[in-house]
């Protein structure tokens, strides 16, 4: 899930999805365990275990002796950024007539690839877009 580059590790889409899911489960339940991530993402236990160990090894999250998962500051920063993108993009898509289910699915794809500049402009003009469409 992490790609080694010349200067630093680049986090990839799969890793961003795991971090975002840890954040969302944490907001919903207050605590996160591996089984929660398996259920939320519909992935097998071995797949999730490998990914979480790798993310922990790179300092994005901590797993305590009881199996509880928490985001580190580094992981939280990424998860918050991806979650915000997901929500804003989905709202914009729904504002232009996309069904909620499709908007959230599409937002999940777009959130990883949209440039910071485009996202900031989309976010900045969301209210204007909403008013224009209604």
């Amino acid at each position: 899930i992490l790609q080694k580059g010349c200067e630093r590790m680049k986090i990839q889409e799969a890793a961003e999805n795991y971090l975002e899911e840890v954040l969302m489960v944490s907001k919903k339940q207050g605590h996160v365990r591996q089984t929660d991530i398996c259920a939320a993402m519909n992935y097998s236990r071995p797949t999730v275990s490998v990914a979480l160990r790798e993310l922990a090894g790179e300092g994005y999250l901590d797993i305590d002796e009881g199996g509880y998962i928490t985001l580190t500051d580094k992981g939280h920063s990424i998860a918050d950024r991806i979650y915000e993108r997901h929500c804003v993009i989905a709202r914009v898509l729904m504002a232009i007539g996309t069904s909620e289910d499709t908007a959230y699915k599409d937002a999940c794809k777009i959130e990883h690839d949209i440039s910071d500049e485009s996202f900031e402009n989309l976010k900045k003009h969301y209210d204007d877009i909403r008013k224009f469409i209604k």
Side-chain angles (χ1 to χ4, degrees):
I1 355 184
L2 302 173
Q3 181 178 28
K4 296 201 186 278
C6 296
E7 297 171 14
R8 63 182 188 91
M9 297 293 282
K10 180 185 177 203
I11 193 154
Q12 294 185 333
E13 183 176 330
E16 290 176 339
N17 284 336
Y18 276 101
L19 296 173
E20 181 185 21
E21 198 62 53
V22 169
L23 176 68
M24 290 189 305
V25 170
S26 152
K27 285 177 181 267
K28 186 176 177 181
Q29 298 179 183
H31 59 82
V32 184
R33 298 190 72 173
Q34 181 176 320
T35 54
D36 301 319
I37 301 304
C38 293
M41 298 181 82
N42 200 28
Y43 291 163
S44 71
R45 192 170 176 89
T47 299
V48 171
S49 180
V50 167
L52 294 177
R53 262 197 321 268
E54 189 172 338
L55 289 166
E58 293 299 325
Y60 292 103
L61 52 84
D62 291 318
I63 305 171
D64 72 14
E65 293 162 5
Y68 291 96
I69 302 163
T70 54
L71 294 168
T72 61
D73 289 343
K74 180 177 167 181
H76 226 300
S77 174
I78 292 167
D80 287 338
R81 180 177 60 86
I82 294 300
Y83 183 70
E84 178 189 31
R85 286 172 172 234
H86 191 121
C87 293
V88 169
I89 292 166
R91 284 192 298 257
V92 168
L93 292 173
M94 287 185 284
I96 61 172
T98 306
S99 71
E100 183 176 351
D101 187 51
T102 300
Y104 278 101
K105 285 178 185 173
D106 287 348
C108 193
K109 298 170 194 168
I110 297 167
E111 68 194 15
H112 304 284
D113 294 322
I114 192 170
S115 70
D116 290 340
E117 177 185 3
S118 292
F119 176 72
E120 288 304 318
N121 284 319
L122 192 65
K123 186 170 78 169
K124 184 169 106 181
H125 295 290
Y126 170 66
D127 287 331
D128 294 335
I129 291 168
R130 216 174 58 196
K131 290 174 193 167
F132 175 73
I133 293 170
K134 288 187 175 184

